[in-house]
Amino acid sequence: MAGAGAVLTTGISPHISYGAATTELIASVGKAQIAPENYPATEIWGYDGQVPGPAIRVKQGDRVRQKFVNKLPQASTVHWHGIRIDNRMDGVPDLTQKSVAPGDSFEYDFKAPDAGTYWFHPHNKTWEQMARGLYGALIIEEPNPPQVDDDLTLLIDDWRLTDDASIAGNFGSMMDWSHGGRLGNWITINGGGNFTHVVKRHQRLRLRLVNVSNSRIFTLNLTGMDGWIVAMDGQPLLQPEKAKNLTLAPAQRIDLIVDVTADAKTEAFLVSSERQKNYAIAAFPVGAAIRGNILAKPEPLPENPIAAIGNLKSAKPVNLTMEGGAMGRMGGAILNGAHLTMRELVGTGNAWAFNGVAGMTDTPLASIEAGQTVIMTIANETSWPHAMHLHGHHFRQVAKNNSLGPLRDTLLMQRGEITKIAFVADNPGKWLFHCHMLEHAASGMMTWLEVG
Ligand code: C2O
Ligand code: CU
């Protein structure tokens, strides 16, 4: 691509670990300036005591070796979201490993099979631990990354802060759990509320957007920048699509390649829209032009080595009906083998069910032979949207005419929506399927599949 500047890779934190050698990833209590400068620093939980944790950046196919050391007051694990990982490294307490007690450690060691934008977070009491700041980016570089002037990872979070900028402690609120989850009152990017990054007119940027909030769904637009979606949930689109009205549900990622079109001495913005209001959540002051014109449309990113979906007619059918929550019709559900009324269920901290069962079961939702194509019909019979996440695999949404959507690991489902997804179950092990609105997962919306 003639005329493109050198690839300038800007890490989101000074501590970046590269491949091979084992690095320690220490979860601990820390302090961070989450709120504006005139507020006190906030006590957070973070990897290496920071929000976000250190970005981990490796090349596709490299080994990631991280010794997780738990210096938190609670047991924890690390889940590598979106990585088609060896099941033993997936970080799910009681399913793939024992929770790491305070003072203990666990060595994560896996190969990164797919290039793209991924992230990591705990999987024990996730609704509390992530709300306190435990998350970080895992960036897996293409062998030949697209040429951009700047490569930025934006971890978008939604905090619930008190007036003195502490993290509000009402983690177990049934009001949140049975409604839209824990929604906050303060949006940050990379741990700060005033994200600003200086750019140049006609500069080309790769923006890796990651929604790390507990439950907030973002609708995003760019002003003064124009470009394309090149990947979703880490996986390249076959053809780049115009970047407009981006929906980013909890845990989802979007990779953009954009060009700065705003004039020098003005500002470009990333804008979040909610209820007819627009909020600039990131500002990009624009300097003098880096080149005479914007660059040509980017090529698609190279595909990752993911098996093609098999014949849908002979695929293994799995059905999942989602029920419960506020304003739902669910009368009750099974919990640990006993049938409870809705009122009794709520008394146990549960509000949702999959196929009439709340929370995890001893037996999987489905047992699948390794290599089989699965077609799952999912019916959202609740009054709420949900961000459904499958571990260890990427899937495609199947349209009514059987055409296949892009690869994803997290799918936003609207209230009342019925849809199908298909994937090749080629990764043996025990894999969670759950809502990534963390309060929903904690109060019933969690099940698992067994492959192999
Ligand atoms: Cu992002 Cu079950 O995880
Ligand atoms: Cu949900």
Side-chain angles (χ1 to χ4, degrees):
M1 195 191 291
V7 179
L8 206 171
T9 301
T10 317
I12 58 167
S13 101
H15 172 163
I16 296 179
S17 25
Y18 268 94
T22 304
T23 311
E24 284 200 338
L25 186 66
I26 303 171
S28 69
V29 177
K31 284 241 176 223
Q33 192 64 41
I34 303 291
E37 291 300 330
N38 52 331
Y39 284 84
T42 301
E43 183 176 298
I44 54 94
W45 293 4
Y47 295 110
D48 292 3
Q50 312 167 17
V51 176
I56 300 172
R57 217 171 167 110
V58 298
K59 280 268 179 209
Q60 182 172 18
D62 277 358
R63 238 170 118 178
V64 177
R65 299 172 72 181
Q66 295 277 330
K67 180 178 179 187
F68 169 61
V69 181
N70 186 4
K71 294 194 177 159
L72 298 170
Q74 258 177 23
S76 193
T77 59
V78 185
H79 170 60
W80 310 91
H81 184 113
I83 305 291
R84 299 184 298 122
I85 205 167
D86 180 334
N87 193 239
R88 291 168 308 137
M89 296 292 138
D90 200 40
V92 180
D94 306 324
L95 193 70
T96 69
Q97 71 167 95
K98 278 214 340 246
S99 244
V100 182
D104 281 356
S105 64
F106 186 92
E107 288 205 33
Y108 291 97
D109 182 348
F110 58 90
K111 217 185 87 173
D114 301 328
T117 301
Y118 303 90
W119 62 297
F120 55 97
H121 63 75
H123 223 294
N124 186 47
K125 293 207 175 207
T126 322
W127 72 93
E128 173 175 351
Q129 297 190 2
M130 265 182 52
R132 290 188 184 278
L134 279 167
Y135 53 78
L138 171 54
I139 305 301
I140 304 175
E141 293 172 358
E142 296 82 12
N144 298 300
Q147 279 197 301
V148 294
D149 301 307
D150 212 346
D151 180 344
L152 288 180
T153 306
L154 306 185
L155 300 167
I156 308 172
D157 201 358
D158 170 34
W159 302 77
R160 189 180 287 181
L161 298 180
T162 62
D163 289 343
D164 64 352
S166 314
I167 294 168
N170 49 349
F171 295 106
S173 155
M174 259 337 261
M175 185 67 180
D176 294 337
W177 290 33
S178 62
H179 289 70
R182 179 182 167 101
L183 299 175
N185 51 11
W186 185 241
I187 306 295
T188 63
I189 289 186
N190 300 347
N194 253 321
F195 182 88
T196 303
H197 183 83
V198 175
V199 296
K200 295 193 169 78
R201 178 165 160 83
H202 296 164
Q203 200 177 23
R204 171 156 285 185
L205 294 99
R206 180 170 184 167
L207 299 179
R208 304 169 184 265
L209 310 178
V210 187
N211 184 349
V212 298
S213 63
N214 278 41
S215 285
R216 189 176 291 279
I217 303 165
F218 289 95
T219 304
L220 302 170
N221 274 293
L222 293 161
T223 64
M225 289 189 190
D226 202 13
W228 293 267
I229 306 173
V230 292
M232 295 201 294
D233 295 350
Q235 303 297 341
L237 298 187
L238 288 179
Q239 277 309 321
E241 280 171 27
K242 270 286 174 195
K244 252 182 74 184
N245 297 326
L246 310 168
T247 301
L248 202 64
Q252 289 185 327
R253 285 90 65 214
I254 294 180
D255 278 51
L256 301 174
I257 291 185
V258 298
D259 299 300
V260 178
T261 53
D263 289 334
K265 299 198 182 122
T266 65
E267 278 187 296
F269 294 102
L270 177 64
V271 178
S272 165
S273 305
E274 221 169 300
R275 300 187 183 158
Q276 274 88 53
K277 286 212 180 112
N278 297 323
Y279 307 87
I281 59 171
F284 302 88
V286 181
I290 190 173
R291 55 179 68 86
N293 250 310
I294 59 168
L295 299 173
K297 180 175 175 181
E299 296 293 319
L301 299 174
E303 281 181 76
N304 284 314
I306 294 185
I309 306 281
N311 188 342
L312 291 179
K313 290 210 180 72
S314 54
K316 180 177 173 78
V318 177
N319 291 311
L320 187 83
T321 301
M322 304 150 70
E323 296 170 284
M327 294 171 274
R329 293 182 305 268
M330 187 166 86
I334 293 171
L335 178 71
N336 300 326
H339 189 275
L340 302 185
T341 65
M342 192 64 186
R343 177 185 287 262
E344 290 167 336
L345 208 59
V346 167
T348 66
N350 286 282
W352 311 87
F354 286 159
N355 293 350
V357 181
M360 289 290 277
T361 47
D362 294 340
T363 52
L365 173 71
S367 295
I368 304 147
E369 239 172 82
Q372 247 192 329
T373 292
V374 175
I375 183 149
M376 195 187 277
T377 305
I378 313 172
N380 178 5
E381 294 187 357
T382 78
S383 301
W384 301 87
H386 300 286
M388 297 302 296
H389 170 50
L390 176 63
H391 283 213
H393 300 78
H394 277 73
F395 54 79
R396 295 180 190 272
Q397 198 168 4
V398 182
K400 291 238 156 50
N401 64 3
N402 275 355
S403 69
L404 297 171
L407 286 162
R408 299 222 73 150
D409 62 42
T410 306
L411 178 72
L412 180 62
M413 290 195 62
Q414 300 301 337
R415 65 197 72 164
E417 186 180 348
I418 300 176
T419 195
K420 290 184 202 298
I421 61 169
F423 62 97
V424 182
D426 56 359
N427 197 356
K430 298 174 173 180
W431 302 108
L432 283 186
F433 188 56
H434 65 89
C435 180
H436 219 289
M437 285 145 171
L438 303 173
E439 293 70 29
H440 294 174
S443 56
M445 295 198 125
M446 171 117 58
T447 187
W448 61 290
L449 304 169
E450 181 147 46
V451 178

